[in-house]
Amino acid sequence: MEVHTRQLQYFIAVAEELSFTRAAQRLHVSQQGLSTQIKQLEHEMDVALFTRTTRQVQLTAAGAAFLRHVRDSLASLSFGAEEARAVHRGEHDRLVLGCLEGAALTLTEPILAAFRERHPDVTVELSHFTYDTPSAGLANGLVDVAIVRRPFVDAGLQFEPLFSQPLVALLPAHHRLADRAEVSAAELLDDPILASGPADPVWNAFWRLESHRDGHAAPTVLPVKTLLEELHQVATGAGIAMTVPCAGWIRFPGVRVIPVSDAPRNEVAVCWRITHQTPLVRSFIDVARRVRAANPDLIARLETPHRRGAPVGALSS
C-alpha cells in the first residue's frame, strides 16, 4: 500500500471538520484537490472512509478505526523528525572527547587546537577516564570519540594510530634491579605487579606482561586506577608496575623508572564506534591524522623517549 503523509493529513482534516469545504480552507488547498486525494487514499486502501451526501460528511466505522492509528502514526513521525533534528544539531555544535589518563601526551593540545581552528563554533567537551575504563567511555556510549591506549577489548570500535611507546617498569628504590639502566621482562616476572582490576582482560594481560609468562598467572596485588596510585603503591613496596615513559616526567620519591628492553610497545590511537561516525567524529580523526603527519619531530620524541633530549613536555590529559 502506497500512502503519503499528505493524504493522511488531508484525511485527518476532513475527519475533524466533517466537511470538505472547511477542511480545504483549513489546509489552504482546493476542495477538488482535497477530494481527489481522499479518493486516491480510499482506492489504495480499498475501503470507504467517509459517507458523503449533499448535506453532510460522516466517517464510516472503518474510517473511525483508521483515524486513531493515523493520528498516532503522524504524531510518532513528527516526534521522530524532531528528535533527529535535535541529534543533528547536537552533532554539529558539540563533540565529547574521551581521554584516558595521559591521552596523546604532548600531541593532545596540537590536535585540540587544530580542531578548534577548523570548527570554531563547536564545543569540545573533555571527559577523563582512568585505567579501569580503557575505552575512555566509548564502550558504553558516553563519548563521541576518544584518545586511548591499546590493547583492550575493542569489539565494535575502529582506530587511527597516532604513535607507540616502549614500556617502562616502576620499581621501588630498594628493588634489586633499581640501579639498572634497563631490564628485561623475564627479570620482572616473579614480582607482584599492580593491575587495574578485572574490568578488561585484554588490557590487564598487556600490563601484567602475560605474553612473557607462558600461561602462568602473574602475582598481582591491589588494583590501581591512575598513575599517581601506581607511584604511591610502588613507593611503599607493595609491588611493581608496568607503564609508559611519561611516568618519568614526575619525580616521585622512592620510585625508579627503568626501561624494559623486550616488552611490547603500547599504541596511542584515536578511537570511535563503527556505528557512530558522525561528521564531527570524521573531522576529528582527519585533524588528528594531519597533526600527526605535521609533527614528525614530536612523534619521534614520543616514540623514542629514552634518547638524548627526551622526554619532552609534561604529563597532561
Side-chain angles (χ1 to χ4, degrees):
M1 187 173 67
E2 200 169 310
V3 176
H4 303 286
T5 55
R6 180 176 59 181
Q7 292 174 325
L8 299 180
Q9 291 165 345
Y10 286 5
F11 166 70
I12 290 175
V14 175
E16 292 177 346
E17 298 291 343
L18 294 178
S19 165
F20 280 83
T21 302
R22 290 193 298 273
Q25 293 171 344
R26 168 176 155 182
L27 295 168
H28 304 290
V29 298
S30 70
Q31 184 173 334
Q32 181 180 358
L34 175 62
S35 180
T36 299
Q37 291 294 322
I38 295 299
K39 287 179 181 177
Q40 289 178 354
L41 178 60
E42 290 178 318
H43 175 75
E44 188 67 36
M45 295 181 61
D46 195 24
V47 64
L49 299 172
F50 299 99
T51 58
R52 306 164 177 86
T53 69
T54 55
R55 294 184 176 182
Q56 63 179 0
V57 176
Q58 294 289 331
L59 275 168
T60 64
F66 187 53
L67 178 61
R68 293 192 296 272
H69 294 287
V70 170
R71 281 173 170 158
D72 290 343
S73 296
L74 287 184
S76 178
L77 183 62
S78 178
F79 290 144
E82 180 54 37
E83 183 175 352
R85 285 191 290 268
V87 170
H88 176 80
R89 290 192 298 270
E91 289 173 353
H92 283 74
D93 60 22
R94 176 172 172 266
L95 181 79
V96 182
L97 172 63
C99 294
L100 194 67
E101 184 174 79
L105 303 173
T106 49
L107 194 64
T108 305
E109 287 307 318
I111 291 173
L112 291 176
F115 184 80
R116 286 168 177 144
E117 182 176 358
R118 180 184 288 191
H119 300 281
D121 297 328
V122 171
T123 298
V124 179
E125 181 179 318
L126 299 182
S127 189
H128 299 273
F129 294 86
T130 53
Y131 297 158
D132 56 344
T133 313
S135 74
L138 282 170
N140 46 13
L142 296 177
V143 302
D144 299 309
V145 64
I147 299 176
V148 299
R149 287 185 173 272
R150 301 180 72 184
F152 54 87
V153 175
D154 58 12
L157 302 178
Q158 286 185 315
F159 300 88
E160 175 68 29
L162 296 177
F163 58 87
S164 66
Q165 291 189 299
L167 297 191
V168 298
L170 299 183
L171 305 180
H174 55 75
H175 192 276
R176 66 187 185 283
L177 303 173
D179 293 330
R180 294 272 294 276
E182 187 177 76
V183 297
S184 69
E187 294 177 286
L188 302 172
L189 298 185
D190 293 331
D191 288 275
I193 189 165
L194 300 168
S196 62
D200 191 301
V202 175
W203 170 270
N204 286 331
F206 179 83
W207 297 105
R208 291 171 180 170
L209 297 175
E210 289 190 8
S211 62
H212 290 263
R213 296 182 184 277
D214 296 325
H216 300 292
T220 59
V221 292
L222 74 166
V224 291
K225 296 182 180 181
T226 67
L227 175 58
L228 191 58
E229 287 184 27
E230 283 182 328
L231 291 167
H232 276 290
Q233 293 299 329
V234 171
T236 66
I240 68 170
M242 299 302 301
T243 187
V244 289
C246 65
W249 301 356
I250 302 174
R251 302 304 178 194
F252 200 91
V255 176
R256 300 290 182 268
V257 181
I258 312 295
V260 182
S261 60
D262 56 348
R265 293 178 71 89
N266 178 236
E267 181 184 272
V268 175
V270 176
C271 180
W272 65 96
R273 298 193 302 279
I274 295 172
T275 57
H276 190 67
Q277 296 186 49
T278 67
L280 278 185
V281 168
R282 289 194 294 271
S283 182
F284 187 88
I285 297 162
D286 180 63
V287 166
R289 187 184 297 120
R290 290 172 182 271
V291 170
R292 177 193 61 202
N295 291 274
D297 290 342
L298 176 55
I299 296 298
R301 291 198 298 272
L302 289 168
E303 292 199 320
T304 56
H306 306 309
R307 68 181 178 85
R308 185 182 300 273
V312 297
L315 185 63
S316 70
S317 63

